[in-house]
Amino acid sequence: MKKKNHFTVPPKYIFAVLAILCIGMMYASYATGFAGSTLGRITGYIFVPFERGINSVGGWARDKGNSLQDLADAQAENKALQEQVDELTLQNSRLMQNQYRLQELEALYNLDQTYGEYNKVAANIIASDSGNWFNTFVIDKGSKDGLATDMNVIAGSGLVGIITKVGDNWAQVRSIIDDMSEVSAQVLSTSDLCFVKGDLQLMESGLIQLYQLRDTEGKASIGDTVVTSHVSDKYHAGLLIGYINELSLDSNNLTRSGTLTPAVDFEHLHSVLVITDIKQTVEE
């Protein structure tokens, strides 16, 4: 049994016929002047929806393209602004570091002028024990720079500690807040002698111990200045240690003890001055 052949018209012929029809209708409308006639309305019904559809698609594509371009421009602008913010943040950080360093150097200069009678060497701290406080640390100057053990170390507004070990280009410092430290001191206003002892646990409150104050008349008071005494065997006399925070009478009813606020910020040390003149002792 033979299959029937179905007749099909190629799409290109259909398109050609429609094109000729459209051209003919447009010509007829133009030639007869029937813009508002039935032919014009039919033409409008046929072509206006297509035109609107094409315009809508074109408008959507144009808007989409504009949105994508705006997004790309915004991303590029945001990246440029972020780079500027990063650069300004870095510059601000450097300025703050330089400002802090300048303030520190000014403090060292003023301290050098305050104790101008002593020879000194400036040094930077290059290592310290773990923890928040500089109770023991290492500086970048040593015996090649004329440093030796028992030399006094100052910074900020007063006494930091004393050198305990020395190498060719380094030295170890034990500060007055260390548990192993004890300094012979005196109250400046009364000249009464006492001792200042380091206590890292107490230093968490920003204080160090003051004890055996021989204040028989009770003249010493809160806020009085405490300095190294003239009878100290290793520390030069008159170096500022701190200020009395509190006092109470000891059980012997002869001496008083309390706490002292140190003159040096032992949490933020970077540079120090080493007094290269060693205190003369009786044995020497």
Side-chain angles (χ1 to χ4, degrees):
M1 182 177 180
K2 294 182 180 181
K3 295 181 179 180
K4 295 182 179 180
N5 294 327
H6 296 283
F7 178 75
T8 58
V9 179
K12 60 182 180 179
Y13 295 129
I14 297 175
F15 179 76
V17 172
L18 290 174
I20 293 171
L21 179 61
C22 290
I23 293 172
M25 292 176 68
M26 286 188 295
Y27 177 76
S29 177
Y30 174 76
T32 60
F34 294 158
S37 65
T38 302
L39 181 60
R41 289 194 296 271
I42 294 173
T43 304
Y45 289 141
I46 295 175
F47 290 103
V48 168
F50 285 103
E51 182 179 0
R52 289 177 179 174
I54 293 172
N55 290 337
S56 298
V57 173
W60 177 85
R62 182 172 59 256
D63 293 340
K64 196 68 173 178
N66 291 337
S67 299
L68 292 175
Q69 183 61 45
D70 292 342
L71 178 61
D73 293 342
Q75 290 176 341
E77 183 178 1
N78 182 65
K79 182 179 179 181
L81 291 174
Q82 186 61 50
E83 291 175 351
Q84 292 180 9
V85 169
D86 294 341
E87 179 64 23
L88 290 174
T89 301
L90 180 61
Q91 292 180 7
N92 184 60
S93 177
R94 289 174 178 172
L95 287 174
M96 292 179 63
Q97 291 177 0
N98 291 336
Q99 182 179 5
Y100 181 81
R101 180 60 176 167
L102 179 60
Q103 292 174 349
E104 188 178 36
L105 292 176
E106 288 178 348
L108 288 178
Y109 174 78
N110 293 332
L111 192 64
D112 181 46
Q113 299 301 305
T114 301
Y115 301 107
E117 68 271 25
Y118 301 119
N119 296 308
K120 309 174 198 68
V121 171
N124 297 313
I125 298 175
I126 57 175
S128 68
D129 286 344
S130 59
N132 297 328
W133 308 102
F134 285 88
N135 56 306
T136 59
F137 55 88
V138 178
I139 56 178
D140 61 354
K141 298 292 175 64
S143 58
K144 290 183 178 180
D145 305 287
L147 303 191
T149 57
D150 292 337
M151 286 184 174
N152 297 180
V153 180
I154 57 178
S157 299
L159 180 64
V160 171
I162 196 167
I163 291 180
T164 56
K165 294 181 182 179
V166 177
D168 290 340
N169 56 2
W170 61 271
Q172 186 181 64
V173 178
R174 182 175 66 233
S175 69
I176 61 174
I177 67 171
D178 188 71
D179 293 333
M180 300 296 294
S181 176
E182 185 175 81
V183 182
S184 176
Q186 69 180 56
V187 177
L188 190 61
S189 62
T190 66
S191 296
D192 291 319
L193 299 178
C194 60
F195 290 96
V196 173
K197 186 176 184 348
D199 187 333
L200 286 178
Q201 185 174 358
L202 184 60
M203 193 62 200
E204 292 295 332
S205 301
L207 303 170
I208 50 180
Q209 291 184 19
L210 180 150
Y211 70 101
Q212 290 188 8
L213 173 61
R214 301 171 190 175
D215 182 21
T216 56
E217 299 181 6
K219 292 182 178 180
S221 59
I222 307 304
D224 280 355
T225 301
V226 177
V227 299
T228 52
S229 74
H230 56 285
V231 298
S232 175
D233 58 343
K234 293 183 179 181
Y235 291 95
H236 293 284
L239 300 179
L240 177 61
I241 299 176
Y243 308 93
I244 295 177
N245 179 69
E246 62 177 351
L247 283 174
S248 60
L249 187 64
D250 294 333
S251 58
N252 59 17
N253 293 325
L254 297 174
T255 59
R256 302 169 74 188
S257 299
T259 57
L260 193 73
T261 302
V264 175
D265 182 359
F266 286 97
E267 193 175 9
H268 303 98
L269 283 175
H270 294 88
S271 302
V272 297
L273 291 177
V274 179
I275 298 176
T276 54
D277 304 315
I278 297 179
K279 174 105 181 258
Q280 296 293 323
T281 63
V282 175
E283 290 80 2
E284 292 173 340

